Amino acid sequence: PDRLKADVERARAKRDQAEVVRLMAEARKLQQAGDLDGAAKLAYKARQLRGSAVAWDMSDRPEKLIAEIQATSTAPRESRQ
């Protein structure tokens, strides 16, 4: 039973990682198309799925995309003032 549980957890983690990669790719496309709200929603969903990833994971991180979206969405407001 313990081995089965570990196998299931590994399979779920692998599935979640694949979904995070897919979500991040779609979020990047939306960001480039100018749909910042859609991109942010997908990035937040990816962040939830990603959970506590290992520190050496150098893939595109949801936190980085969220920060970029926030910087982009506040930049035009600052330039108008």
Side-chain angles (χ1 to χ4, degrees):
D2 290 336
R3 183 180 169 118
L4 178 61
K5 184 178 178 181
D7 288 345
V8 169
E9 288 175 6
R10 274 194 298 275
R12 282 184 182 151
K14 193 173 186 179
R15 180 199 62 203
D16 287 351
Q17 180 60 30
E19 182 67 3
V20 167
V21 169
R22 187 192 69 76
L23 288 170
M24 289 300 296
E26 185 65 26
R28 287 284 180 192
K29 287 179 188 175
L30 290 175
Q31 179 194 27
Q32 291 173 351
D35 183 1
L36 299 181
D37 290 335
K41 287 178 186 177
L42 292 179
Y44 280 114
K45 188 181 284 190
R47 184 172 70 177
Q48 284 180 327
L49 277 177
R50 189 167 188 259
S52 58
V54 290
W56 50 264
D57 183 5
M58 300 304 274
S59 62
D60 195 14
R61 294 182 319 277
E63 294 80 11
K64 180 180 176 189
L65 178 57
I66 291 167
E68 289 174 13
I69 291 168
Q70 289 172 344
T72 301
S73 60
T74 59
R77 289 186 201 140
E78 291 172 359
S79 64
R80 287 185 212 153
Q81 294 176 355

